[in-house]
Amino acid sequence: MSGSESSDKHAEESVETTSGPVQSAETAESPTLSEPAEPAAQAEPAYSALADLIPTTQTPLPLPQSTSTAPLDVARQPGFPQPGYLQPGFTQPVSAQPAIPQPAIPQPTSPQPAYPYPGYAPAAYPQPTYPQPAGYGYPGYQQHAIDIPTADPGALKRKRKRLWIIGAVVVVLGLISAGIYALLPGRTGNSIVSVVTCKSADLTTCLINAPAGAVRLSANGDDQWPQQTVSTAGLYAGNITTDSPGVGSSTTSLLSQDGVKTVAHNDWNAVDGDNIDIVLLRFSTQKGAQAWNSTRAAEILAAYPGSTVAIPGDSTNDAHAATKPDAKGDIDAGYSTVVGQIVLNVSYSSPNRLSAQDLQNWAGTELTSLRTAPAPAADAAPTAPATQQVACGSGLQSCLMATPGDGQAWSNPTDSHWVAGSSLTSAQLVHLFWENASAAVQQQVLTNFNSDGVANIAHEDWTVNNNFEQADLYLIQTITATGASQLNSSNFGEPVWGGGLSGVSYTIPNASNAQAWYTNKTDSSGFIDFAYTTTVGNVIVFGWLYFYGSLDSGTANSWAEPELDRVGGSTQTAPMGLFSLTAPTLPAASPGTCPASGDCLLPLPAGASDTTTSSYQNGESLSAPAYVDQYEAGSSDAITTWLNSDGFFSAEHRSWTASNGATADAVLLKYTTPAQAQAAAMLEYGVNASADRVCTDTAVPDSLCLAAPVSTSDLLQKETIWVLAWKGDYEVSVSVSISNAADLVQAYTWTQQQLDMLPAS
């Protein structure tokens, strides 16, 4: 016996055993209210396959309406889907039965793109407090002055946009406790500097004074930077960051982005010919200071690949020197560190060879001075970009009203697509209500559900009084309130009744925002159909009630009003796009397994679908411009220039969609040296950090993590986690985006798996 034959058999049996309305269109006419228990027989109508939806005591669904075979006009305003027997968005009249037009399906709404850039990275370097070491200008340190006949220092000239003064011929050597210094002709003095008490509101109080005999660097033309104590970001950029190809040209905009407030500096040429420019930059937040410190530290690390100089009191950041003298014979060096909201930048040079003693002395003393200032207030906690009204936050099922005391759930549905469960997927709902629509129409509707951010669907049904009165209720919850409103306007509304029926507007008491209608007469099954809908925050409520013979307004109100009240009473204001950033628990790192000459790219994770060929770069091989266009679109030319100058050698990537729906992209970038790989990761963090939330997991060394802001217009509320890490001469970039959450677990898991594959160098 076929499925439809079996259903018909159940219908025939129900005629013999129930006192309710006749449930089989094949064996009896629709009963009247006066005689519901003994319905008269009627001729068998032609219902086509929809006859399986005829309600029986076993399958209490309302009688299906016939539909039209006319093609669907997807541009029309859709009608409201009629559950059980009315297929929304589809019309198909069948021979002898009057047609009931179904709601049309509008053009699909394109899903919002993933956030501006895939992922991000680093937390800025925390600045620990260290005890003050002895020596190099700290309290208790003494240095003997060496008196030399004085001469006019006015002859010192400063090359434009270069800090360093050219050392003169050495004529006197002075042996002092900090080292051997070469004194310039006619100069007298020393290298001793002292700690000052810093009042961070006035950066000039935080600058240490020049040692005895030192002279300030001279201006060159209209460049007044050397002579100014309080200066501008533009002059800072033109005199300090010119050692950074490409990115150096963006210094002013990056400083503005990071929230710089004040720039102050002091410079001098000491009696031994060593030059220094000490720059203090105060930012509005500690996060902004940390972002710029990471950017500038990366620039220094890349620009000065020579010897490393430890600065007393700083175990986090070092100074770095050039490998050989510049055109004037000077050895240049740079240093960057952060204390609270203040970034300390040092540009330094020694004639002929690096004099590390002065660099350590002067930079270390300035660092100690900065730490005399009171600690700044903690940055304000990140705030959501917007708020929205949401409903049923404790669970969508909790918003379904209690079944009436004598109500019983529908059972044994003859429609194979009908779902008796309390929750449905979007696909199940679409297949149920658009059952007879073409595959293209069903896909269109499903696209709307997905792009508008449907997250949960709850359902309940009941029948009372021997199926004379029935209800079928649905709640559709979207990620955003905007998504619910958009989906409601595109796929729900007043039913296109058809079959000679028309809708009569109805007002549900105490539900001014709800719409409701009932049919002007009974349908072919003898039922008055009643539909109502509303949107509450991010929840669409739609329900169908069926009354045999005539409308029972009292029962309709007693069923619709409590459901609407239950959903409405659950509303609350909630932040948008501020998902928890909980660090994952990761296994211990393992030794690298990839040979230096082998393919070291992370393989496709288990259960994932490879999307590399359809991603921003078809194929694994990746150029610097292609990588930068994807991750640094706002400053691609500048960063491409910088990466190439930083020793970029090659890159490869793989993209995929994980089993939980997260989309990911892993990039492995190879550089000439380990320092260059580290500099690249630090710079990418620095130029992006000010706008993002930091999510660095300290359990994974040499890694940085950023969570990109979630757009309020993104109906899927996708959060992108970007982890940057380095090992040997490799930089690792892993970005993971997922809807309505921040997926740190997979982002860091995949990052560590990639790091584990790499050789140490």
Side-chain angles (χ1 to χ4, degrees):
M1 179 182 297
S2 68
S4 59
E5 292 173 340
S6 175
S7 299
D8 297 341
K9 180 64 175 176
H10 284 302
E12 293 170 2
E13 293 172 352
S14 68
V15 172
E16 300 173 357
T17 58
T18 181
S19 59
V22 174
Q23 304 301 324
S24 173
E26 298 181 356
T27 57
E29 296 179 348
S30 299
T32 63
L33 288 180
S34 59
E35 296 179 330
E38 298 181 7
Q42 64 176 5
E44 179 180 339
Y47 282 114
S48 76
L50 293 181
D52 288 346
L53 296 178
I54 299 171
T56 70
T57 51
Q58 286 74 35
T59 56
L61 288 171
L63 185 66
Q65 302 290 343
S66 298
T67 53
S68 170
T69 56
L72 181 65
D73 178 5
V74 296
R76 273 191 313 160
Q77 172 63 35
F80 194 86
Q82 188 161 349
Y85 66 91
L86 184 59
Q87 308 303 313
F90 183 64
T91 60
Q92 186 179 16
V94 181
S95 58
Q97 286 301 114
I100 300 180
Q102 306 303 318
I105 308 305
Q107 296 299 326
T109 301
S110 299
Q112 299 295 324
Y115 212 68
Y117 52 85
Y120 274 75
Y125 303 165
Q127 184 64 46
T129 301
Y130 298 95
Q132 296 180 3
Y136 300 121
Y138 292 93
Y141 173 71
Q142 298 295 325
Q143 190 172 36
H144 302 289
I146 299 177
D147 295 325
I148 300 294
T150 62
D152 181 11
L156 292 172
K157 298 297 181 181
R158 182 176 188 278
K159 179 183 176 185
R160 180 171 178 78
K161 292 189 177 181
R162 289 290 294 173
L163 169 62
W164 319 131
I165 298 297
I166 307 307
V169 177
V170 174
V171 295
V172 179
L173 291 181
L175 184 61
I176 58 178
S177 58
I180 298 176
Y181 293 79
L183 304 181
L184 299 178
R187 302 281 294 276
T188 182
N190 55 51
S191 295
I192 300 173
V193 291
S194 300
V195 174
V196 297
T197 300
C198 174
K199 298 178 181 177
S200 55
D202 180 2
L203 278 188
T204 61
T205 67
C206 304
L207 289 166
I208 62 174
N209 296 312
V215 293
R216 189 135 194 181
L217 304 181
S218 58
N220 185 1
D222 60 356
D223 182 4
Q224 297 302 308
W225 167 265
Q227 301 298 311
Q228 295 176 339
T229 300
V230 178
S231 193
T232 65
L235 287 176
Y236 165 83
N239 285 271
I240 301 299
T241 62
T242 54
D243 55 7
S244 179
V247 177
S249 63
S250 303
T251 295
T252 303
S253 60
L254 288 173
L255 287 172
S256 176
Q257 168 185 290
D258 293 339
V260 71
K261 293 297 184 184
T262 311
V263 179
H265 83 118
N266 191 14
D267 57 54
W268 64 79
N269 166 251
V271 294
D272 58 5
D274 291 342
N275 302 300
I276 195 167
D277 197 343
I278 297 175
V279 186
L280 302 180
L281 304 99
R282 184 166 64 85
F283 294 80
S284 57
T285 64
Q286 295 183 62
K287 181 183 176 185
Q290 291 163 356
W292 176 248
N293 179 63
S294 185
T295 300
R296 183 57 189 154
E299 293 176 343
I300 291 170
L301 184 59
Y304 304 107
S307 59
T308 297
V309 179
I311 302 301
D314 192 345
S315 64
T316 303
N317 303 293
D318 294 319
H320 298 275
T323 56
K324 58 184 179 180
D326 60 20
K328 300 298 184 179
D330 291 344
I331 298 293
D332 302 335
Y335 168 65
S336 184
T337 195
V338 60
V339 179
Q341 296 174 342
I342 300 174
V343 172
L344 165 61
N345 284 172
V346 171
S347 292
Y348 177 86
S349 73
S350 297
N352 304 314
R353 64 181 179 82
L354 179 67
S355 175
Q357 294 94 331
D358 274 351
L359 176 56
Q360 292 174 311
N361 179 17
W362 299 338
T365 302
E366 181 60 50
L367 178 58
T368 299
S369 299
L370 292 178
R371 289 175 177 164
T372 65
D379 289 350
T383 57
T387 59
Q388 64 174 346
Q389 289 295 111
V390 298
C392 308
S394 60
L396 196 58
Q397 299 294 335
S398 66
C399 280
L400 289 170
M401 64 177 288
T403 302
D406 57 346
Q408 295 184 1
W410 293 4
S411 62
N412 299 328
T414 55
D415 181 359
S416 61
H417 291 135
W418 190 79
V419 179
S422 58
S423 63
L424 289 78
T425 65
S426 293
Q428 286 175 322
L429 189 69
V430 170
H431 291 158
L432 173 61
F433 290 123
W434 283 265
E435 180 181 20
N436 289 334
S438 67
V441 170
Q442 289 191 22
Q443 184 58 50
Q444 173 68 75
V445 178
L446 188 59
T447 296
N448 287 350
F449 273 59
N450 292 335
S451 63
D452 290 338
V454 172
N456 300 292
I457 301 174
H459 160 248
E460 71 174 337
D461 53 66
W462 65 79
T463 176
V464 299
N465 190 23
N466 291 322
N467 301 332
F468 274 67
E469 297 176 332
Q470 303 182 32
D472 196 22
L473 309 182
Y474 295 84
L475 302 180
I476 301 177
Q477 187 177 52
T478 56
I479 295 171
T480 66
T482 302
S485 177
Q486 184 164 295
L487 183 64
N488 185 52
S489 66
S490 65
N491 288 97
F492 302 98
E494 179 182 359
V496 181
W497 304 98
L501 301 175
S502 62
V504 179
S505 182
Y506 184 89
T507 300
I508 299 173
N510 304 311
S512 58
N513 293 327
Q515 295 178 289
W517 311 266
Y518 65 94
T519 53
N520 61 328
K521 60 182 179 180
T522 59
D523 60 26
S524 58
S525 301
F527 286 94
I528 293 291
D529 305 337
F530 183 102
Y532 70 95
T533 183
T534 192
T535 300
V536 181
N538 63 330
V539 173
I540 298 172
V541 182
F542 76 97
W544 285 90
L545 311 179
Y546 306 98
F547 302 97
Y548 189 77
S550 63
L551 175 67
D552 183 345
S553 60
T555 299
N557 294 340
S558 68
W559 286 357
E561 188 176 354
E563 179 57 43
L564 295 172
D565 288 346
R566 193 174 185 89
V567 176
S570 71
T571 58
Q572 58 181 333
T573 301
M576 298 182 69
L578 201 65
F579 306 116
S580 174
L581 298 176
T582 303
T585 300
L586 299 171
S590 60
T593 58
C594 174
S597 60
D599 183 0
C600 295
L601 183 62
L602 179 72
L604 186 68
S609 301
D610 197 320
T611 59
T612 305
T613 56
S614 60
S615 68
Y616 61 95
Q617 179 74 13
N618 184 350
E620 289 187 7
S621 180
L622 199 61
S623 66
Y627 172 74
V628 172
D629 284 345
Q630 175 67 14
Y631 286 90
E632 307 288 355
S635 52
S636 58
D637 290 343
I639 294 183
T640 297
T641 299
W642 187 87
L643 285 179
N644 287 325
S645 71
D646 184 45
F648 173 86
F649 184 77
S650 64
E652 51 185 340
H653 89 116
R654 174 169 284 116
S655 300
W656 65 84
T657 299
S659 57
N660 68 341
T663 57
D665 185 53
V667 185
L668 186 61
L669 303 99
K670 187 174 177 58
Y671 295 82
T672 306
T673 69
Q676 292 168 339
Q678 178 182 354
M682 290 170 57
L683 184 112
E684 290 187 82
Y685 161 73
V687 299
N688 291 294
S690 61
D692 298 351
R693 292 189 294 157
V694 175
C695 51
T696 300
D697 184 358
T698 56
V700 179
D702 298 334
S703 72
L704 302 162
C705 176
L706 289 176
V710 177
S711 171
T712 57
S713 62
D714 180 7
L715 300 184
L716 300 182
Q717 290 292 278
K718 284 191 173 183
E719 177 85 89
T720 298
I721 301 298
W722 192 18
V723 180
L724 293 167
W726 59 93
K727 183 179 179 183
D729 48 13
Y730 287 98
E731 177 194 6
V732 173
S733 167
V734 175
S735 66
V736 179
S737 301
I738 194 169
S739 180
N740 212 30
D743 196 349
L744 265 73
V745 173
Q746 291 192 125
Y748 258 108
T749 297
W750 291 328
T751 297
Q752 180 161 290
Q753 289 174 354
Q754 177 65 89
L755 289 170
D756 286 350
M757 293 181 62
L758 303 177
S761 64

